[in-house]
Amino acid sequence: YEAAKKTVEHMNEKMQWAISAVENGELSESNTWNNFYHRLVAFKEQCQKSETATGSLQAELTIAARTNPELHDLTEWAQRQRTAYRTYQRGRYQTSHPYRISALEKVGLFVGKWD
């Protein structure tokens, strides 16, 4: 039993590594969605250095966009992702890009009432 359990754990680790490699490969491609995603990650990193951060990535974006017009499109994109995620969570939407959901979950965009 223990040997089988260790084998399963090892296989799960390898699978997680493979999933991560695919996600990273997909996220490194140049396309509009990935460009917005990388801007979101950079914005989050900037917020984490701030002493006034609220803890909500969407709230931080909304507040920052009031004074920085360059963030309006990122804020709207993030809101569209949250709306699509809510629809996905309710089972009304399927995605051909599950790595995108995983990436946005990891960055913390969906923390809140749908988490």
Side-chain angles (χ1 to χ4, degrees):
Y1 172 77
E2 289 300 317
K5 185 177 175 182
K6 284 185 180 188
T7 300
V8 168
E9 288 173 2
H10 181 70
M11 291 174 71
N12 283 337
E13 288 173 6
K14 282 187 166 192
M15 186 177 300
Q16 289 304 317
W17 179 87
I19 289 169
S20 181
V22 168
E23 287 176 355
N24 291 334
E26 294 284 350
L27 291 172
S28 68
E29 292 181 7
S30 180
N31 61 50
T32 302
W33 194 95
N34 287 349
N35 293 340
F36 275 113
Y37 171 76
H38 291 294
R39 284 179 60 198
L40 182 67
V41 170
F43 179 81
K44 180 180 181 178
E45 289 171 357
Q46 178 185 359
C47 286
Q48 289 176 329
K49 296 175 185 172
S50 169
E51 294 179 13
T52 60
T54 65
S56 165
L57 187 55
Q58 185 67 44
E60 290 292 334
L61 266 174
T62 302
I63 292 166
R66 292 178 187 152
T67 58
N68 185 347
E70 293 180 9
L71 292 176
H72 284 246
D73 63 337
L74 181 60
T75 304
E76 291 174 2
W77 176 84
Q79 186 57 47
R80 285 193 306 273
Q81 301 312 304
R82 287 175 59 90
T83 300
Y85 185 72
R86 179 176 49 221
T87 305
Y88 172 80
Q89 290 292 87
R90 293 178 179 162
R92 296 186 206 154
Y93 175 75
Q94 292 185 2
T95 181
S96 58
H97 304 286
Y99 73 92
R100 291 179 174 179
I101 292 171
S102 176
L104 291 173
E105 286 174 337
K106 287 177 185 173
V107 80
L109 183 62
F110 304 133
V111 173
K113 69 180 189 178
W114 303 301
D115 206 27

